[in-house]
Amino acid sequence: MRMPRRGLVLQARTRWLLAGLALLFSLVLLMYLLECAPQTDGNGSLPGVIGENMGKEYYQALLQEQEEHYQNRATSLKRQIAQLKQELQEMSDKLKSLQEKKSPRVNGMNYQGTKEQASNDLLEFLHSQIDKAEVSVGAKLPSEYGVIPFESFTSVKVFQLEMGLTRHPEEKPVRKDKRDELVEVIEAGLEVINNPDEEDGQDEADGVGERQLYSENDFIEGYYRTERDKGTQYELFYKKMDGMEYRHVTLFRPFGPLMKVKSETVDISRSIINIIVPLAGRTEAFAQFMQNFRDVCIHQDKRVHLTVVYFGQDGLSEVKSILESVARETNFQNYTIVSLNEEFNRGRGLDMGARAWEKGEVLMFFCDVDVYFTAEFLNSCRLNAEPGKKVFYPVVFSLYNPSIVYANQDIPPPVEQQLVHKKDSGFWRDFGFGMTCQYRTDFLTVGGFDLEVKGWGVEDVHLYRKYLHGDLIVVRTPVPGLFHLWHEKHCADELTPEQYRMCIQSKAMNEASHSHLGMLVFREEIETHLRKQAYRTNSEAVG
């Protein structure tokens, strides 16, 4: 099915308004006839008593309902028409500007003709996107992995394949733009059905009163998929409750030409990052962290400051010794250690580390002792955070338990050799918000962490939501140079039910991939099978 041009869409919407006014006039005429005609139903009521009043009230309510419905639809259509005109004007101006840059203006050329030509060029381009997409004709693909699957939806739910770890197979659209998109698509499908064009193949002789009108309640299901370089395809199905026929509408939202938003040079040569690490115990992990810090920050990047916020006294002297040893060997002095003689609280530690900085504005990287990062990540941190404008929330690649991943080896390989992005080696930790790059003034402006939160997990989400509720852009993306190293997790009894659930969820996700966990679950069955195979092989050899 070819999508109508925008001009035809506007004409169809205008026809729809006229049809609505005609229907409204018909209802008014029907009301007048009911007022004037005697009642003839067989319920035995006398004219002018009960029967007439009931009919009158019913049709008055029906008339009012239909009037409100068409008023709402008319308002919606007017708004959409205005939006379409504005978008068309913007794209026309863009094309006109490009055309003027590419070729000299012809003497005496009519400006209106140029404007119309630009509009036609835009419509031709958008229509060509439909022809290129896999809408009417299938594309030849090299394998089954080249298929772009659809996601299905109803009026209230979306059923999706790509879930990550926080999305669900079935869920209500959370983002407002996704909800608005699906509502707009369903309404657009209704307009196509209720106001058919000549190319839709429907008999125009059928009047509005004879044609069956569809509403949002008649929408059954839909499918959509996006080809990144062409647009989004929608397959919509409608059916009357008491009918057997389905109405199928195919829509396509083509992507327009690329448009420059801005072009700028970003100088990060003098951008210092204050890496803040809260810590309690875990001195062996800290020694490993400092080895990575030495290689990446001191030898390669050379534009960092390290702030360690240590809770308690047990292990404090060892942590200081590790820092002093690195400082002597590398002549690195840009570090601060803040000692707090209290129970560990990650939010409190990061907050104290941020406030301990006394040299004005600075870019901060909230980090954990189990995190391994590269020099390239530090530059991504600088490029994606901007004071007063952007905060950076990278998605960490979390490594599985190496004793399970490398069970077929005598010992796991060195950490540097484990840093690979494979399905059986780890996963994108899209439910974690602890690693973040943000400027100190932005952190203080939003109020920092909720220091009433004790223990594990929730304080990161609270801070993340503060930014989501504000005006700053939150850059959320997986990055290749940031890894969370596996370590044994312990979920304390003192945690609240929500915190404990999050901790257990993280612990389960951290252990191994689905396939590796399956091998553990069915270990006995596998070993039994191998023994039978070995016995059968030996028997055949003897025979």
Side-chain angles (χ1 to χ4, degrees):
M1 171 180 175
R2 294 178 64 91
M3 187 180 70
R5 296 290 194 271
R6 291 217 174 179
L8 294 176
V9 173
L10 294 177
Q11 293 177 9
R13 290 175 173 170
T14 305
R15 260 203 332 266
W16 194 90
L17 282 173
L18 293 175
L21 292 174
L23 182 59
L24 183 61
F25 176 78
S26 300
L27 290 172
V28 172
L29 181 60
L30 177 62
M31 185 64 199
Y32 173 78
L33 293 175
L34 289 172
E35 289 281 2
C36 299
Q39 186 167 338
T40 58
D41 58 358
N43 61 4
S45 300
L46 294 176
V49 191
I50 299 177
E52 182 179 336
N53 290 335
M54 288 297 292
K56 179 180 179 180
E57 292 174 357
Y58 170 76
Y59 286 108
Q60 281 180 335
L62 179 63
L63 178 62
Q64 183 177 0
E65 179 183 348
Q66 292 295 328
E67 184 178 4
E68 291 176 355
H69 173 74
Y70 286 112
Q71 285 179 347
N72 292 335
R73 296 294 293 171
T75 302
S76 175
L77 286 173
K78 287 179 181 178
R79 184 175 65 251
Q80 293 180 43
I81 290 172
Q83 183 180 356
L84 287 172
K85 286 182 177 179
Q86 181 180 357
E87 292 176 359
L88 185 59
Q89 181 63 46
E90 291 174 356
M91 295 301 295
S92 298
D93 293 342
K94 177 66 178 179
L95 288 174
K96 176 178 177 294
S97 176
L98 292 174
Q99 191 176 31
E100 289 177 349
K101 289 180 180 179
K102 290 181 179 179
S103 59
R105 183 178 178 84
V106 179
N107 292 334
M109 183 175 181
N110 188 293
Y111 173 74
Q112 184 64 30
T114 306
K115 186 176 180 181
E116 291 177 357
Q117 181 62 41
S119 299
N120 292 335
D121 291 344
L122 173 61
L123 291 175
E124 286 298 324
F125 171 82
L126 296 178
H127 204 76
S128 70
Q129 293 287 76
I130 304 175
D131 296 333
K132 295 176 184 177
E134 191 180 354
V135 177
S136 301
V137 180
K140 295 182 179 180
L141 303 174
S143 71
E144 67 273 20
Y145 301 107
V147 174
I148 302 176
F150 285 88
E151 292 187 344
S152 61
F153 65 97
T154 65
S155 57
V156 294
K157 289 183 179 180
V158 174
F159 305 88
Q160 53 207 2
L161 286 176
E162 298 182 5
M163 297 181 295
L165 292 172
T166 56
R167 299 171 66 189
H168 302 282
E170 170 191 298
E171 67 181 18
K172 295 181 179 179
V174 177
R175 289 175 56 101
K176 182 178 183 298
D177 57 348
K178 174 57 68 176
R179 293 197 305 270
D180 291 348
E181 174 197 6
L182 297 181
V183 169
E184 178 189 7
V185 166
I186 294 172
E187 290 184 351
L190 288 172
E191 292 180 18
V192 172
I193 294 175
N194 293 331
N195 301 278
D197 293 320
E198 293 181 2
E199 60 187 77
D200 290 335
Q202 296 193 28
D203 190 0
E204 286 292 338
D206 294 338
V208 175
E210 300 176 16
R211 188 187 307 132
Q212 196 173 28
L213 296 179
Y214 286 73
S215 69
E216 291 86 347
N217 295 330
D218 299 320
F219 176 71
I220 303 300
E221 64 179 357
Y223 309 98
Y224 69 92
R225 67 176 177 181
T226 298
E227 295 184 61
R228 298 297 178 87
D229 59 339
K230 301 177 183 69
T232 303
Q233 173 187 354
Y234 303 91
E235 303 290 340
L236 310 173
F237 297 89
Y238 302 81
K239 186 180 81 71
K240 286 292 185 181
M241 185 178 298
D242 55 350
M244 294 300 294
E245 292 185 346
Y246 284 81
R247 295 300 307 274
H248 175 206
V249 177
T250 299
L251 299 178
F252 192 80
R253 189 193 302 272
F255 294 153
L258 294 174
M259 299 178 65
K260 184 183 75 175
V261 176
K262 68 176 179 179
S263 176
E264 60 182 356
T265 301
V266 181
D267 182 10
I268 59 174
S269 60
R270 299 182 181 180
S271 177
I272 303 296
I273 300 179
N274 182 17
I275 302 177
I276 305 176
V277 181
L279 186 63
R282 315 223 30 230
T283 53
E284 290 184 6
F286 183 70
Q288 185 180 46
F289 173 86
M290 286 305 299
Q291 182 60 47
N292 177 49
F293 184 88
R294 180 204 298 251
D295 295 340
V296 173
C297 300
I298 300 177
H299 292 160
Q300 298 181 51
D301 190 85
K302 303 177 182 179
R303 292 164 291 165
V304 298
H305 184 97
L306 175 63
T307 301
V308 178
V309 182
Y310 196 87
F311 289 82
Q313 297 298 316
D314 187 20
L316 176 59
S317 59
E318 192 171 349
V319 167
K320 289 182 177 179
S321 176
I322 293 172
L323 285 170
E324 291 168 359
S325 175
V326 171
R328 284 194 307 270
E329 296 171 4
T330 62
N331 197 29
F332 178 77
Q333 302 298 327
N334 296 328
Y335 71 90
T336 303
I337 184 164
V338 179
S339 178
L340 300 176
N341 191 19
E342 55 189 75
E343 183 183 354
F344 179 80
N345 182 317
R346 186 176 187 276
R348 164 98 168 131
L350 294 172
D351 187 84
M352 290 296 295
R355 298 180 189 277
W357 180 269
E358 298 178 347
K359 300 178 183 179
E361 181 67 289
V362 68
L363 175 59
M364 305 182 300
F365 170 37
F366 292 164
C367 188
D368 284 344
V369 72
D370 302 299
V371 168
Y372 185 102
F373 54 87
T374 64
E376 289 76 18
F377 166 74
L378 294 178
N379 285 333
S380 297
C381 181
R382 295 181 175 101
L383 291 170
N384 289 288
E386 188 175 350
K389 293 186 178 180
K390 294 190 296 184
V391 293
F392 187 39
Y393 272 86
V395 180
V396 182
F397 192 78
S398 191
L399 299 178
Y400 290 132
N401 186 343
S403 63
I404 298 178
V405 176
Y406 305 99
N408 60 339
Q409 302 181 22
D410 294 334
I411 58 173
V415 171
E416 291 75 15
Q417 297 180 23
Q418 299 179 29
L419 306 178
V420 291
H421 301 92
K422 293 184 178 179
K423 194 172 185 179
D424 284 335
S425 64
F427 64 97
W428 291 111
R429 198 185 186 91
D430 58 352
F431 59 84
F433 305 95
M435 307 308 116
T436 173
C437 298
Q438 50 194 261
Y439 276 86
R440 185 173 182 269
T441 53
D442 294 330
F443 174 75
L444 298 177
T445 298
V446 298
F449 287 101
D450 183 355
L451 299 182
E452 298 299 319
V453 176
K454 305 291 183 182
W456 189 91
V458 180
E459 75 282 352
D460 299 330
V461 181
H462 284 189
L463 178 63
Y464 184 67
R465 288 172 180 168
K466 286 183 179 180
Y467 285 116
L468 296 180
H469 298 160
D471 296 327
L472 270 66
I473 298 172
V474 177
V475 180
R476 178 73 166 164
T477 180
V479 290
L482 192 62
F483 295 86
H484 181 271
L485 306 181
W486 182 89
H487 63 90
E488 186 73 36
K489 277 188 174 294
H490 174 68
C491 299
D493 294 334
E494 302 83 48
L495 296 176
T496 65
E498 181 183 4
Q499 289 176 322
Y500 193 82
R501 179 188 60 78
M502 292 176 65
C503 183
I504 289 295
Q505 179 190 26
S506 177
K507 185 174 182 178
M509 295 292 185
N510 265 341
E511 201 63 23
S513 66
H514 196 156
S515 60
H516 276 151
L517 289 176
M519 297 293 285
L520 292 176
V521 170
F522 299 110
R523 176 182 295 175
E524 287 188 16
E525 185 176 334
I526 295 171
E527 291 175 351
T528 301
H529 172 74
L530 292 176
R531 283 195 299 268
K532 289 180 179 179
Q533 288 289 94
Y535 176 77
R536 186 179 296 112
T537 302
N538 292 334
S539 298
E540 293 175 355
V542 172

